[in-house]
């Protein structure tokens, strides 16, 4: 099983940018997808973006499409989330999470698809 460590969270003004990182350690042999999820106060977890760990194919929730970019560097064993043109509604705890399963029918978009989570990093967007 892999271990995940998020960093890069903080406070940012609306319209600004932030880059989150997630360091991956442990055995990645069976890793199929790695994703960023978030949970805002009083709301359920939602998948922001996901990427095939081997393929590099990205998937985005409609709420961040065109503003956020997910990428991974397998040599550095690090996942990134570049957040641009952030909005107050992006305020949440952001988690890195992995799945060893193959996504069928959009399963990547469901928080329950991911069974290994990091501790999270807080992002606050306010003026």
């Amino acid at each position: 099983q892999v271990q995940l460590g998020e960093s890069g969270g903080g406070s940012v003004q609306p319209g600004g940018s932030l880059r989150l990182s997630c360091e991956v350690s442990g055995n990645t042999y069976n890793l199929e997808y790695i994703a960023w999820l978030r949970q805002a106060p009083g709301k359920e977890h939602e998948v922001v973006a996901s990427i095939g760990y081997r393929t590099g194919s990205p998937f985005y929730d409609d709420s961040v499409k065109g503003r956020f970019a997910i990428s991974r560097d397998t040599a550095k064993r690090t996942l990134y989330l570049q957040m641009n043109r952030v909005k107050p509604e992006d305020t949440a705890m952001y988690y890195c999470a992995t799945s060893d399963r193959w996504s069928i029918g959009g399963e990547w978009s469901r928080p329950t698809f991911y069974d290994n989570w990091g501790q999270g990093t807080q992002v606050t967007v306010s003026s």
Side-chain angles (χ1 to χ4, degrees):
Q1 191 173 14
V2 299
Q3 292 77 49
L4 306 168
E6 302 94 335
S7 62
S11 296
V12 60
Q13 293 187 341
S17 297
L18 204 61
R19 189 174 83 155
L20 306 184
S21 299
C22 173
E23 293 188 4
V24 181
S25 58
N27 187 359
T28 61
Y29 182 78
N30 294 319
L31 189 51
E32 292 293 345
Y33 291 88
I34 186 166
W36 288 101
L37 296 87
R38 67 186 179 188
Q39 185 178 31
K43 295 188 177 181
E44 295 184 352
H45 290 98
E46 62 176 353
V47 180
V48 174
S50 187
I51 190 167
Y53 192 71
R54 271 174 268 280
T55 66
S57 295
F59 305 90
Y60 296 97
D61 184 76
D62 286 344
S63 65
V64 303
K65 202 173 289 184
R67 299 189 298 122
F68 291 8
I70 188 171
S71 62
R72 91 273 184 262
D73 186 327
T74 54
K76 293 182 178 179
R77 297 165 68 93
T78 304
L79 175 73
Y80 302 100
L81 184 69
Q82 179 65 45
M83 306 169 63
N84 299 323
R85 304 197 305 278
V86 297
K87 304 175 181 179
E89 50 264 43
D90 294 323
T91 294
M93 183 70 80
Y94 283 72
Y95 299 91
C96 175
T98 64
S99 177
D100 291 347
R101 292 177 285 162
W102 187 254
S103 175
I104 299 174
E107 286 179 303
W108 66 267
S109 64
R110 301 171 192 162
T112 54
F113 180 68
Y114 304 92
D115 47 23
N116 187 34
W117 294 55
Q119 294 299 307
T121 186
Q122 177 67 37
V123 173
T124 302
V125 182
S126 70
S127 53

